[in-house]
Amino acid sequence: MSIFNAYMALSGAYDADVTRDERLSHHTTYRIGGPAALFVKVNSYPALLKTIEILGREGVDWVVLGKGSNILAADRGYDGCVIVLGREFSRISFDGSEVTAGAGATIARLVSETLSHSLSGLECLVGIPGTVGGAVSMDAGTRHEWIGARVKDVVTLRPGEGLHRYAGSDIEWGYRYTDIPTSEIILEATFALVPDEKAAIAERMEALVARRRLRQPLGKPSCGSVFRNPGSRSVGQLIDSCGLKGYSVGGACVSDMHANFIVNNGGARAADVIAVMSRVHDTVLDKYGIDLVPEVKCLGFGA
């Protein structure tokens, strides 16, 4: 693997911004993470293709990162290349009651623009940080509504093969899961929405935001929910019943507001978060026999 050769080749890439040793703490909502060996913001499809080609030729591992809202990056960083989808992948367009959004568009902007067009169906996303690509890949939403229910189709890039279009009905959607291969890069998605009164849509959004403000520690850096709910049970309630609210290691702490949030109280390291996660996992397993599955994705920890 040659990071240097990849850096030199990528530095000449059209429509791409390339840096070395970019701290991932600047690109995750946890505000945690060491440097990425390479960090590339690609602003066009040709730039993305060229970047993937060069990284493959040089044997450099890579990962696509949105807003880092569901990521715990290692303290030592990531020894591959982090790719961020820029300008061309952030477009949003409307055709009647359908909206097509690039994977790099933020969820906040998508929700705002659908509201301005008086289109209903994506209210469940309001207040969720991140990008469209990340939301589609993990079927984001609430416990009762998910983005997948509104997806008409998804366009991905299969490295070495080219573009592929999935009909929404061909994708297996599950709780924080889709069967879109992780080897493919989501480029855009089209959503089938329903016209409605703007005031009614706004009222539903405001109610959901209000509930989140009351129940979630939105004022502190976090990755959102750390563990998946086991079936119909609330993992937050399980953790709370184990007396773990307020449990901390270093700067990482189980939130007093919502036990399935581990917040960064300041200066937290990834190792601190992992230690808290381990304690929570083992305690719930011992008390209830439930093997909690992380919802947060880890980057740079290796084998």
Side-chain angles (χ1 to χ4, degrees), residues 143-270:
R143 291 186 64 183
H144 307 291
E145 296 180 86
W146 307 273
I147 193 173
R150 292 295 178 180
V151 172
K152 179 183 178 183
D153 59 47
V154 176
V155 177
T156 70
L157 170 63
R158 291 178 173 176
E161 296 183 29
L163 297 176
H164 181 76
R165 185 181 298 272
Y166 292 91
S169 57
D170 292 336
I171 299 171
E172 181 183 343
W173 304 94
Y175 177 65
R176 302 300 179 263
Y177 162 83
T178 72
D179 66 349
I180 298 174
T182 56
S183 59
E184 298 182 18
I185 302 172
I186 296 174
L187 300 182
E188 69 175 31
T190 298
F191 306 95
L193 305 180
V194 179
D196 197 357
E197 292 293 329
K198 185 179 295 185
I201 300 171
E203 184 177 355
R204 290 193 291 271
M205 288 183 176
E206 289 166 4
L208 185 54
V209 169
R211 286 199 297 273
R212 285 194 165 122
R213 285 175 178 162
L214 285 174
R215 300 174 183 178
Q216 299 177 3
L218 303 181
K220 293 185 177 181
S222 78
C223 68
S225 296
V226 175
F227 296 100
R228 298 180 184 179
N229 286 313
S232 60
R233 305 192 71 173
S234 165
V235 67
Q237 292 175 1
L238 291 174
I239 297 169
D240 188 9
S241 70
C242 292
L244 289 171
K245 276 187 174 179
Y247 175 77
S248 65
V249 175
C253 179
V254 176
S255 170
D256 288 324
M257 183 175 288
H258 193 310
N260 197 24
F261 281 63
I262 297 175
V263 297
N264 180 353
N265 275 336
R269 301 175 304 137

Side-chain angles (χ1 to χ4, degrees), residues 1-11 17-24 27 34-41 51 54-55 58-63 65 77-84 299:
M1 179 174 73
S2 176
I3 292 291
F4 177 77
N5 288 347
Y7 173 70
M8 294 302 292
L10 288 168
S11 295
D17 304 312
V18 187
T19 57
R20 291 196 66 178
D21 299 324
E22 179 76 10
R23 293 199 67 83
L24 293 172
H27 301 278
L38 287 176
F39 190 92
V40 182
K41 182 179 181 180
T51 297
I54 290 171
L55 295 175
E58 297 299 332
V60 176
D61 292 334
W62 55 269
V63 65
L65 184 69
Y78 177 60
D79 60 7
C81 178
V82 169
I83 300 172
V84 172
L299 175 63

Side-chain angles (χ1 to χ4, degrees), residues 291-302:
D291 186 10
L292 295 180
V293 177
E295 186 172 313
V296 61
K297 298 179 180 178
C298 294
L299 175 63
F301 289 84

